[in-house]
Amino acid sequence: MRYTPVLAAALFMAGCFGSKEKSAPTAVTEQGVDVKKDPLGALGALGRAGQDFEKFQKELENMPAVEPLHFSRLVAALPEPPGGWTAKPARGETNQMGEFKMSRASRDYQKEGGNERVQIQIEDWAFNRAIYAPFMLQAQFSQESTDGYSKGIKAGEDPGREEYKVAQKRGHRSILFRKRYHTKVDIRNLEPAAFDEWWGLIKTSELPATN
């Protein structure tokens, strides 16, 4: 993605920005502003990014301190292969670097007799504020061309980002589910509709808002 001056300024300002159960939306409900097509809208998006992140920070302050779920619980949220697909065994790990802890689980899927592939990865960020600002900002901006697109999205109130390359028929969608779980669907040799299909297969009931 090529950075314009407006977007570059937005990225710089991001560094300055100091539960309730719900079902997971399967489709994008909102997407970010295209800086090239709507420069004035991009300025407004930058303002909203600051407001959204301030609100998000206040919400995080009210969140209880939690330990990341053990990776085995994240593995349980990964879907079983649907009809016509096979899957490799799921992988998981729980890591710690200083005070920062994170759990991760992933699984690879392949269409039987074809070259279509999907990988799903779930990370428990455990409300660690240090890694939220860049992700929150990305949900405000988009860019589209003949090659594909890179757009900030929202699924319900959950921010995210979706990227897709037309010629390669590959891309990924990342959503910060329940303000805690970085959930990524990576597709290869598939159309963008596969994002909704595979996101809908994730067992989100296995991902509690708090432990």
Side-chain angles (χ1 to χ4, degrees), residues 53-73:
F53 192 68
E54 287 179 2
K55 178 183 176 183
F56 194 74
Q57 287 283 64
K58 290 178 181 178
E59 291 178 358
L60 286 179
E61 289 173 2
N62 295 325
M63 294 290 186
V66 298
E67 289 287 315
L69 297 181
H70 190 268
F71 67 80
S72 60
R73 295 186 65 183

Side-chain angles (χ1 to χ4, degrees), residues 67-68 93-103:
E67 289 287 315
E93 58 186 7
T94 299
N95 297 317
Q96 179 172 357
M97 295 182 63
E99 296 182 356
F100 174 58
K101 299 179 182 178
M102 182 178 71
S103 295

Side-chain angles (χ1 to χ4, degrees), residues 25-122:
T26 58
V28 172
T29 57
E30 182 180 334
Q31 76 177 58
V33 174
D34 189 319
V35 177
K36 287 185 176 180
K37 294 180 179 178
D38 188 3
L40 293 178
L43 292 174
L46 178 58
R48 288 194 300 275
Q51 294 170 2
D52 287 352
F53 192 68
E54 287 179 2
K55 178 183 176 183
F56 194 74
Q57 287 283 64
K58 290 178 181 178
E59 291 178 358
L60 286 179
E61 289 173 2
N62 295 325
M63 294 290 186
V66 298
E67 289 287 315
L69 297 181
H70 190 268
F71 67 80
S72 60
R73 295 186 65 183
L74 302 184
V75 167
L78 296 169
E80 294 301 317
W85 288 76
T86 61
K88 295 181 179 179
R91 304 184 300 275
E93 58 186 7
T94 299
N95 297 317
Q96 179 172 357
M97 295 182 63
E99 296 182 356
F100 174 58
K101 299 179 182 178
M102 182 178 71
S103 295
R104 177 188 295 114
S106 65
R107 196 171 190 186
D108 295 330
Y109 306 81
Q110 182 171 356
K111 189 75 173 289
E112 293 178 353
N115 61 355
E116 296 91 340
R117 289 178 171 80
V118 173
Q119 183 188 72
I120 296 179
Q121 178 176 279
I122 303 173

Side-chain angles (χ1 to χ4, degrees), residues 100 102 125 128-136:
F100 174 58
M102 182 178 71
W125 285 3
N128 189 300
R129 301 177 196 175
I131 55 179
Y132 278 64
F135 190 88
M136 293 292 293

